[in-house]
Amino acid sequence: MSFGLRNAPSTFQRFITEVLYGLDFVFPYLDDVLVASSTEEEHSEHLKMVFERFQQYGLRINVSKSVMGAAQVEYLGFLITAEGSRPLPEKVQAIFNYKLPETIHDLRTFLGMINFYRRYLKDAAKTQAPLHELLKGAKKKDRRKVHWTDDTRRSFEKCKTDLAEAALLSFPRSGLPLSLCTDASDFAVGAVLQQLENERWKPIAFYSKKLNETQTRYSTYDRELLGIYLSVKHFKHLLEGNDFVIYTDHKPLTFAFKQKNEKASPRQQRQLQYISEFSCNIQHVLGKDNVVADALSRIHSISEINFEEIAEEQTTDEELQILLHNNSLKFKPSTLPSGKKLWCDISTQKIRPYIPQKFRFQIFQLIHGLAHPGIKSTVKLMTEKYVWSDIKKQVREWAKACIRCQKCKVSRHTKSKLGDFEQPDERFSVVHIDLIGKLPPSEGMQYCLTCIDRFSCWMEAIPIPEITAEIVGRAFYEKWICRFGVPAKIVTDLGRQFEAELFRSIAAICGAKVAHTTSYHPQCNGKVERLHRTLKGAIKAHNNIRWTESLPTVLLGLRAAIRPDISYTIAQMVYDRLKPAYLLAVDNQNEQTSVGQKNEISNWKELSPLPDEQPTTSCGRKIKKPVRFRE
């Protein structure tokens, strides 16, 4: 191809891309080819593959202009190293020594040079805003003098200082957690895209943009939303197909996807619709706390337990040496795959490792963070798996101080009276169902069908897109009936979906009886209503707008929590080999039983009846009256 043709560069770029197609370690830009390798041996293999491609297509290499086997290389005006990329030192020094521009044309030249490295400059638009004000109304190659002020001189010097202190930008790597921190001022918006490397947030690129005259009149909410929208749009090529978190110091934006569409203006709806196309989660962070340490604390709280580090920490723990001589505990060392010794208590049926002070709160967050259960359940779960001094006291205090539980859970100040309900004869014979919604859209789902078995309290929460009778009936049939069988009785409220002829036909075909509650009397279906309060509080405590991702974890935590009335978990009631132990109280005067009133009645006896047997009293008499208990 002849030189000078306007389509020559694009044609050659298409050709060189075809030559090196499939080699992920090569980045070609026209006649500059960058080959990146981890080791020297790997680099030799990579170069051999590149040379074979060049020989196959008849290309030649100018050896005098090539650099091979170097730890760092200058490429397209940047210094590329193993840690990341930064501006070339000689280029930075030339711009730093740039004299104060005298004409508007010289000022434009300076801004053009410094904006070549704009991705390395934080809040570049905010810093350069006074300089851009001097360019208003300027013409091409304008030779007019620039009227400098103290404010514009400071902006000019700060631009050069920021470039001299430019951050080292890391290379984007697949599989690493991403975060996008955004902010907006009265006249500019800015953002930084970061990725987590070796437990540290490292910047990938900076973005900033000066607002036009119309945008500067936006409200704070609109400017912050515009900043997120422009940042996501700018980093679209890096964010597509990846899960990431957006951090903002404007808390109302965290509820943007929960509000009704009627409350948002057309511009807000367009921007929110674009942001929702990405797998992102908007979280609030205080401006003074918007630092890497805060983000790292979030990562540490969800990391897995490292027993290798726990075993190493045990060697210098003074408290463990005292507990080794405790007669109530029986410690025995367990050998890990690395050869380290992990001290565990074997005085109970379960082996419980000793946890040093450094790892206790981290493990508490892992256990309590599943479904944010109550204080008693959390203490029970922790003491069954781990051991240390005053474990019950510390776990109780941590559970009381859980901020998410305090924000999301409802505290009861009154207790309902005991009610009489018919006792089910076996598991999954009586099921209560209801609907939750409308919830924030998550993976196309806006509602949730909840089902709970009266006998075992096994619960299911099924996300559904709509609440039509067809969708509700199909979800109940596929997720409950096909798994646990046909219940003898289905208890629902007076929702249109449950009163529809289609739902009644499904129940009639399967042989189930549908019982509706009384109007304006939700206590009739209190079993599932009480589940709603626990379920909503746990989902809200996860602080994840994509609630469909948190829902399986929440259900796992609820099924694994110890029930204080029977001392078993719901999962054990359904799947375990042990028979469910029912605590039944017998009053000698009226022969009525009561669950949960152990302190009020002295004559208590633990019974373990089979599901198909009718419980009896200590005298062998069968109990015919219904069990009274709270929902």
Side-chain angles (χ1 to χ4, degrees), residues 497-532:
Q497 304 81 9
F498 307 123
E499 290 186 321
E501 186 66 28
L502 176 61
F503 189 84
R504 289 179 176 272
S505 300
I506 295 175
I509 294 173
C510 295
K513 177 184 177 182
V514 179
H516 294 295
T517 62
T518 309
S519 301
Y520 305 104
H521 195 70
Q523 294 89 335
C524 299
N525 202 16
K527 195 76 173 177
V528 72
E529 296 290 352
R530 183 62 181 84
L531 170 64
H532 287 178

mmCIF file of all heavy atoms in Angstrom, residues 497-532:
data_model
loop_
_atom_site.group_PDB
_atom_site.id
_atom_site.type_symbol
_atom_site.label_atom_id
_atom_site.label_comp_id
_atom_site.label_asym_id
_atom_site.label_seq_id
_atom_site.Cartn_x
_atom_site.Cartn_y
_atom_site.Cartn_z
ATOM 1 N N GLN A 497 -54.584 -13.924 43.379
ATOM 2 C CA GLN A 497 -53.909 -15.064 42.769
ATOM 3 C C GLN A 497 -54.391 -16.387 43.379
ATOM 4 O O GLN A 497 -54.522 -17.389 42.680
ATOM 5 C CB GLN A 497 -52.389 -14.939 42.969
ATOM 6 C CG GLN A 497 -51.788 -13.650 42.444
ATOM 7 C CD GLN A 497 -51.972 -12.491 43.413
ATOM 8 O OE1 GLN A 497 -52.399 -12.672 44.550
ATOM 9 N NE2 GLN A 497 -51.675 -11.278 42.938
ATOM 10 N N PHE A 498 -54.655 -16.379 44.687
ATOM 11 C CA PHE A 498 -55.042 -17.612 45.369
ATOM 12 C C PHE A 498 -56.541 -17.891 45.251
ATOM 13 O O PHE A 498 -56.971 -19.008 45.475
ATOM 14 C CB PHE A 498 -54.648 -17.536 46.844
ATOM 15 C CG PHE A 498 -53.199 -17.177 47.049
ATOM 16 C CD1 PHE A 498 -52.839 -16.078 47.807
ATOM 17 C CD2 PHE A 498 -52.201 -17.931 46.467
ATOM 18 C CE1 PHE A 498 -51.514 -15.744 47.997
ATOM 19 C CE2 PHE A 498 -50.860 -17.608 46.647
ATOM 20 C CZ PHE A 498 -50.527 -16.506 47.412
ATOM 21 N N GLU A 499 -57.320 -16.864 44.920
ATOM 22 C CA GLU A 499 -58.754 -17.068 44.732
ATOM 23 C C GLU A 499 -59.107 -17.369 43.285
ATOM 24 O O GLU A 499 -60.266 -17.675 42.979
ATOM 25 C CB GLU A 499 -59.535 -15.831 45.191
ATOM 26 C CG GLU A 499 -59.535 -15.619 46.699
ATOM 27 C CD GLU A 499 -60.431 -14.472 47.107
ATOM 28 O OE1 GLU A 499 -60.452 -13.454 46.376
ATOM 29 O OE2 GLU A 499 -61.127 -14.585 48.116
ATOM 30 N N ALA A 500 -58.116 -17.265 42.395
ATOM 31 C CA ALA A 500 -58.370 -17.495 40.974
ATOM 32 C C ALA A 500 -58.750 -18.958 40.730
ATOM 33 O O ALA A 500 -58.346 -19.867 41.451
ATOM 34 C CB ALA A 500 -57.137 -17.117 40.152
ATOM 35 N N GLU A 501 -59.503 -19.149 39.667
ATOM 36 C CA GLU A 501 -59.965 -20.492 39.325
ATOM 37 C C GLU A 501 -58.792 -21.396 38.947
ATOM 38 O O GLU A 501 -58.810 -22.603 39.218
ATOM 39 C CB GLU A 501 -60.955 -20.402 38.155
ATOM 40 C CG GLU A 501 -61.612 -21.727 37.792
ATOM 41 C CD GLU A 501 -62.516 -22.238 38.920
ATOM 42 O OE1 GLU A 501 -63.041 -21.405 39.684
ATOM 43 O OE2 GLU A 501 -62.684 -23.476 39.005
ATOM 44 N N LEU A 502 -57.746 -20.810 38.346
ATOM 45 C CA LEU A 502 -56.587 -21.600 37.934
ATOM 46 C C LEU A 502 -55.893 -22.196 39.148
ATOM 47 O O LEU A 502 -55.547 -23.379 39.160
ATOM 48 C CB LEU A 502 -55.612 -20.726 37.141
ATOM 49 C CG LEU A 502 -54.298 -21.389 36.709
ATOM 50 C CD1 LEU A 502 -54.579 -22.567 35.792
ATOM 51 C CD2 LEU A 502 -53.385 -20.377 36.013
ATOM 52 N N PHE A 503 -55.668 -21.390 40.187
ATOM 53 C CA PHE A 503 -54.990 -21.897 41.383
ATOM 54 C C PHE A 503 -55.846 -22.950 42.081
ATOM 55 O O PHE A 503 -55.328 -23.964 42.564
ATOM 56 C CB PHE A 503 -54.680 -20.736 42.331
ATOM 57 C CG PHE A 503 -53.798 -21.109 43.484
ATOM 58 C CD1 PHE A 503 -52.423 -21.140 43.348
ATOM 59 C CD2 PHE A 503 -54.347 -21.449 44.711
ATOM 60 C CE1 PHE A 503 -51.601 -21.485 44.403
ATOM 61 C CE2 PHE A 503 -53.538 -21.806 45.773
ATOM 62 C CZ PHE A 503 -52.160 -21.815 45.619
ATOM 63 N N ARG A 504 -57.138 -22.712 42.134
ATOM 64 C CA ARG A 504 -58.030 -23.699 42.754
ATOM 65 C C ARG A 504 -58.022 -25.012 41.964
ATOM 66 O O ARG A 504 -58.083 -26.107 42.549
ATOM 67 C CB ARG A 504 -59.452 -23.147 42.834
ATOM 68 C CG ARG A 504 -59.618 -22.021 43.863
ATOM 69 C CD ARG A 504 -61.052 -21.512 43.855
ATOM 70 N NE ARG A 504 -61.269 -20.504 44.882
ATOM 71 C CZ ARG A 504 -61.634 -20.785 46.139
ATOM 72 N NH1 ARG A 504 -61.820 -22.042 46.487
ATOM 73 N NH2 ARG A 504 -61.812 -19.830 47.027
ATOM 74 N N SER A 505 -57.945 -24.908 40.645
ATOM 75 C CA SER A 505 -57.921 -26.121 39.825
ATOM 76 C C SER A 505 -56.647 -26.917 40.059
ATOM 77 O O SER A 505 -56.670 -28.158 40.116
ATOM 78 C CB SER A 505 -58.040 -25.749 38.339
ATOM 79 O OG SER A 505 -59.259 -25.057 38.099
ATOM 80 N N ILE A 506 -55.505 -26.220 40.205
ATOM 81 C CA ILE A 506 -54.248 -26.918 40.480
ATOM 82 C C ILE A 506 -54.333 -27.660 41.801
ATOM 83 O O ILE A 506 -53.927 -28.822 41.916
ATOM 84 C CB ILE A 506 -53.076 -25.907 40.493
ATOM 85 C CG1 ILE A 506 -52.885 -25.306 39.104
ATOM 86 C CG2 ILE A 506 -51.797 -26.574 40.975
ATOM 87 C CD1 ILE A 506 -51.830 -24.222 39.044
ATOM 88 N N ALA A 507 -54.897 -26.976 42.821
ATOM 89 C CA ALA A 507 -55.036 -27.624 44.124
ATOM 90 C C ALA A 507 -55.996 -28.812 44.058
ATOM 91 O O ALA A 507 -55.773 -29.855 44.684
ATOM 92 C CB ALA A 507 -55.510 -26.602 45.155
ATOM 93 N N ALA A 508 -57.101 -28.658 43.292
ATOM 94 C CA ALA A 508 -58.076 -29.747 43.198
ATOM 95 C C ALA A 508 -57.503 -30.957 42.463
ATOM 96 O O ALA A 508 -57.726 -32.111 42.857
ATOM 97 C CB ALA A 508 -59.335 -29.248 42.488
ATOM 98 N N ILE A 509 -56.730 -30.702 41.396
ATOM 99 C CA ILE A 509 -56.124 -31.808 40.649
ATOM 100 C C ILE A 509 -55.126 -32.567 41.526
ATOM 101 O O ILE A 509 -55.060 -33.807 41.498
ATOM 102 C CB ILE A 509 -55.446 -31.276 39.374
ATOM 103 C CG1 ILE A 509 -56.513 -30.727 38.413
ATOM 104 C CG2 ILE A 509 -54.612 -32.356 38.702
ATOM 105 C CD1 ILE A 509 -55.934 -30.031 37.205
ATOM 106 N N CYS A 510 -54.366 -31.820 42.325
ATOM 107 C CA CYS A 510 -53.376 -32.461 43.193
ATOM 108 C C CYS A 510 -54.007 -33.077 44.432
ATOM 109 O O CYS A 510 -53.352 -33.865 45.131
ATOM 110 C CB CYS A 510 -52.313 -31.439 43.604
ATOM 111 S SG CYS A 510 -51.325 -30.822 42.226
ATOM 112 N N GLY A 511 -55.235 -32.694 44.745
ATOM 113 C CA GLY A 511 -55.898 -33.253 45.918
ATOM 114 C C GLY A 511 -55.651 -32.491 47.197
ATOM 115 O O GLY A 511 -55.709 -33.067 48.286
ATOM 116 N N ALA A 512 -55.371 -31.189 47.097
ATOM 117 C CA ALA A 512 -55.123 -30.355 48.274
ATOM 118 C C ALA A 512 -56.329 -29.462 48.533
ATOM 119 O O ALA A 512 -57.018 -29.034 47.607
ATOM 120 C CB ALA A 512 -53.875 -29.504 48.083
ATOM 121 N N LYS A 513 -56.560 -29.154 49.797
ATOM 122 C CA LYS A 513 -57.648 -28.273 50.196
ATOM 123 C C LYS A 513 -57.084 -26.885 50.455
ATOM 124 O O LYS A 513 -56.091 -26.725 51.164
ATOM 125 C CB LYS A 513 -58.318 -28.807 51.463
ATOM 126 C CG LYS A 513 -59.425 -27.899 51.982
ATOM 127 C CD LYS A 513 -59.994 -28.430 53.291
ATOM 128 C CE LYS A 513 -61.058 -27.475 53.839
ATOM 129 N NZ LYS A 513 -61.584 -27.945 55.145
ATOM 130 N N VAL A 514 -57.730 -25.866 49.859
ATOM 131 C CA VAL A 514 -57.297 -24.475 50.021
ATOM 132 C C VAL A 514 -58.172 -23.812 51.074
ATOM 133 O O VAL A 514 -59.404 -23.802 50.956
ATOM 134 C CB VAL A 514 -57.379 -23.700 48.689
ATOM 135 C CG1 VAL A 514 -56.937 -22.255 48.893
ATOM 136 C CG2 VAL A 514 -56.528 -24.377 47.627
ATOM 137 N N ALA A 515 -57.532 -23.269 52.123
ATOM 138 C CA ALA A 515 -58.241 -22.570 53.197
ATOM 139 C C ALA A 515 -57.799 -21.117 53.202
ATOM 140 O O ALA A 515 -56.594 -20.833 53.270
ATOM 141 C CB ALA A 515 -57.949 -23.218 54.545
ATOM 142 N N HIS A 516 -58.760 -20.196 53.104
ATOM 143 C CA HIS A 516 -58.461 -18.770 53.089
ATOM 144 C C HIS A 516 -58.628 -18.177 54.482
ATOM 145 O O HIS A 516 -59.438 -18.641 55.290
ATOM 146 C CB HIS A 516 -59.369 -18.039 52.106
ATOM 147 C CG HIS A 516 -59.142 -18.430 50.674
ATOM 148 N ND1 HIS A 516 -57.961 -18.173 50.018
ATOM 149 C CD2 HIS A 516 -59.944 -19.070 49.772
ATOM 150 C CE1 HIS A 516 -58.041 -18.635 48.786
ATOM 151 N NE2 HIS A 516 -59.241 -19.185 48.611
ATOM 152 N N THR A 517 -57.875 -17.117 54.753
ATOM 153 C CA THR A 517 -57.955 -16.435 56.038
ATOM 154 C C THR A 517 -59.132 -15.464 56.045
ATOM 155 O O THR A 517 -59.728 -15.163 55.007
ATOM 156 C CB THR A 517 -56.661 -15.669 56.316
ATOM 157 O OG1 THR A 517 -56.500 -14.659 55.295
ATOM 158 C CG2 THR A 517 -55.466 -16.591 56.276
ATOM 159 N N THR A 518 -59.435 -14.945 57.212
ATOM 160 C CA THR A 518 -60.480 -13.945 57.353
ATOM 161 C C THR A 518 -59.968 -12.598 56.888
ATOM 162 O O THR A 518 -58.793 -12.269 57.056
ATOM 163 C CB THR A 518 -60.936 -13.855 58.822
ATOM 164 O OG1 THR A 518 -61.248 -15.168 59.280
ATOM 165 C CG2 THR A 518 -62.146 -12.954 58.959
ATOM 166 N N SER A 519 -60.843 -11.803 56.297
ATOM 167 C CA SER A 519 -60.448 -10.482 55.808
ATOM 168 C C SER A 519 -59.926 -9.617 56.954
ATOM 169 O O SER A 519 -60.481 -9.618 58.061
ATOM 170 C CB SER A 519 -61.636 -9.790 55.140
ATOM 171 O OG SER A 519 -62.113 -10.559 54.064
ATOM 172 N N TYR A 520 -58.861 -8.877 56.662
ATOM 173 C CA TYR A 520 -58.242 -7.951 57.622
ATOM 174 C C TYR A 520 -57.842 -8.653 58.922
ATOM 175 O O TYR A 520 -57.896 -8.065 60.004
ATOM 176 C CB TYR A 520 -59.182 -6.784 57.930
ATOM 177 C CG TYR A 520 -59.639 -6.048 56.698
ATOM 178 C CD1 TYR A 520 -60.923 -6.230 56.182
ATOM 179 C CD2 TYR A 520 -58.776 -5.188 56.024
ATOM 180 C CE1 TYR A 520 -61.326 -5.572 55.042
ATOM 181 C CE2 TYR A 520 -59.179 -4.523 54.885
ATOM 182 C CZ TYR A 520 -60.452 -4.723 54.397
ATOM 183 O OH TYR A 520 -60.852 -4.062 53.270
ATOM 184 N N HIS A 521 -57.467 -9.900 58.825
ATOM 185 C CA HIS A 521 -57.057 -10.656 60.013
ATOM 186 C C HIS A 521 -55.840 -11.506 59.648
ATOM 187 O O HIS A 521 -55.925 -12.727 59.482
ATOM 188 C CB HIS A 521 -58.201 -11.545 60.511
ATOM 189 C CG HIS A 521 -57.982 -12.071 61.895
ATOM 190 N ND1 HIS A 521 -58.021 -11.267 63.016
ATOM 191 C CD2 HIS A 521 -57.701 -13.320 62.334
ATOM 192 C CE1 HIS A 521 -57.797 -11.999 64.092
ATOM 193 N NE2 HIS A 521 -57.585 -13.264 63.695
ATOM 194 N N PRO A 522 -54.645 -10.879 59.499
ATOM 195 C CA PRO A 522 -53.455 -11.635 59.064
ATOM 196 C C PRO A 522 -52.984 -12.654 60.090
ATOM 197 O O PRO A 522 -52.168 -13.512 59.766
ATOM 198 C CB PRO A 522 -52.408 -10.529 58.864
ATOM 199 C CG PRO A 522 -52.865 -9.406 59.731
ATOM 200 C CD PRO A 522 -54.369 -9.461 59.716
ATOM 201 N N GLN A 523 -53.501 -12.584 61.349
ATOM 202 C CA GLN A 523 -53.082 -13.567 62.346
ATOM 203 C C GLN A 523 -53.458 -14.985 61.945
ATOM 204 O O GLN A 523 -52.845 -15.957 62.403
ATOM 205 C CB GLN A 523 -53.697 -13.240 63.716
ATOM 206 C CG GLN A 523 -53.202 -11.943 64.327
ATOM 207 C CD GLN A 523 -54.036 -10.749 63.898
ATOM 208 O OE1 GLN A 523 -54.663 -10.770 62.830
ATOM 209 N NE2 GLN A 523 -54.043 -9.698 64.704
ATOM 210 N N CYS A 524 -54.470 -15.124 61.102
ATOM 211 C CA CYS A 524 -54.871 -16.460 60.653
ATOM 212 C C CYS A 524 -53.753 -17.142 59.866
ATOM 213 O O CYS A 524 -53.640 -18.365 59.868
ATOM 214 C CB CYS A 524 -56.133 -16.380 59.797
ATOM 215 S SG CYS A 524 -57.559 -15.694 60.653
ATOM 216 N N ASN A 525 -52.942 -16.335 59.185
ATOM 217 C CA ASN A 525 -51.821 -16.860 58.411
ATOM 218 C C ASN A 525 -50.505 -16.388 59.022
ATOM 219 O O ASN A 525 -49.546 -16.060 58.323
ATOM 220 C CB ASN A 525 -51.925 -16.406 56.955
ATOM 221 C CG ASN A 525 -51.161 -17.301 55.992
ATOM 222 O OD1 ASN A 525 -50.788 -18.417 56.335
ATOM 223 N ND2 ASN A 525 -50.923 -16.814 54.793
ATOM 224 N N GLY A 526 -50.490 -16.351 60.358
ATOM 225 C CA GLY A 526 -49.355 -15.775 61.067
ATOM 226 C C GLY A 526 -48.053 -16.524 60.886
ATOM 227 O O GLY A 526 -46.981 -15.953 61.055
ATOM 228 N N LYS A 527 -48.112 -17.794 60.546
ATOM 229 C CA LYS A 527 -46.895 -18.574 60.361
ATOM 230 C C LYS A 527 -46.025 -17.977 59.263
ATOM 231 O O LYS A 527 -44.815 -17.800 59.427
ATOM 232 C CB LYS A 527 -47.271 -20.011 60.015
ATOM 233 C CG LYS A 527 -46.133 -21.008 60.156
ATOM 234 C CD LYS A 527 -45.891 -21.322 61.613
ATOM 235 C CE LYS A 527 -44.881 -22.430 61.776
ATOM 236 N NZ LYS A 527 -44.579 -22.705 63.194
ATOM 237 N N VAL A 528 -46.627 -17.642 58.129
ATOM 238 C CA VAL A 528 -45.861 -17.093 57.025
ATOM 239 C C VAL A 528 -45.645 -15.596 57.197
ATOM 240 O O VAL A 528 -44.638 -15.040 56.740
ATOM 241 C CB VAL A 528 -46.557 -17.414 55.686
ATOM 242 C CG1 VAL A 528 -47.826 -16.594 55.526
ATOM 243 C CG2 VAL A 528 -45.623 -17.177 54.507
ATOM 244 N N GLU A 529 -46.565 -14.904 57.876
ATOM 245 C CA GLU A 529 -46.383 -13.476 58.113
ATOM 246 C C GLU A 529 -45.167 -13.241 59.011
ATOM 247 O O GLU A 529 -44.419 -12.278 58.828
ATOM 248 C CB GLU A 529 -47.632 -12.875 58.751
ATOM 249 C CG GLU A 529 -48.885 -12.923 57.879
ATOM 250 C CD GLU A 529 -48.813 -11.987 56.689
ATOM 251 O OE1 GLU A 529 -47.862 -11.188 56.616
ATOM 252 O OE2 GLU A 529 -49.708 -12.056 55.820
ATOM 253 N N ARG A 530 -44.983 -14.092 60.008
ATOM 254 C CA ARG A 530 -43.815 -13.970 60.881
ATOM 255 C C ARG A 530 -42.536 -14.269 60.116
ATOM 256 O O ARG A 530 -41.487 -13.665 60.371
ATOM 257 C CB ARG A 530 -43.959 -14.927 62.075
ATOM 258 C CG ARG A 530 -42.824 -14.820 63.080
ATOM 259 C CD ARG A 530 -42.776 -13.433 63.689
ATOM 260 N NE ARG A 530 -41.682 -13.296 64.629
ATOM 261 C CZ ARG A 530 -40.429 -12.996 64.301
ATOM 262 N NH1 ARG A 530 -40.130 -12.814 63.033
ATOM 263 N NH2 ARG A 530 -39.500 -12.870 65.226
ATOM 264 N N LEU A 531 -42.619 -15.194 59.168
ATOM 265 C CA LEU A 531 -41.468 -15.483 58.324
ATOM 266 C C LEU A 531 -41.075 -14.270 57.504
ATOM 267 O O LEU A 531 -39.887 -14.004 57.290
ATOM 268 C CB LEU A 531 -41.778 -16.674 57.411
ATOM 269 C CG LEU A 531 -40.763 -16.956 56.288
ATOM 270 C CD1 LEU A 531 -39.404 -17.344 56.865
ATOM 271 C CD2 LEU A 531 -41.278 -18.049 55.361
ATOM 272 N N HIS A 532 -42.069 -13.507 57.033
ATOM 273 C CA HIS A 532 -41.782 -12.328 56.222
ATOM 274 C C HIS A 532 -40.922 -11.336 56.978
ATOM 275 O O HIS A 532 -39.987 -10.756 56.417
ATOM 276 C CB HIS A 532 -43.089 -11.664 55.784
ATOM 277 C CG HIS A 532 -43.821 -12.428 54.736
ATOM 278 N ND1 HIS A 532 -45.042 -12.032 54.237
ATOM 279 C CD2 HIS A 532 -43.522 -13.577 54.080
ATOM 280 C CE1 HIS A 532 -45.456 -12.901 53.333
ATOM 281 N NE2 HIS A 532 -44.542 -13.849 53.223
#
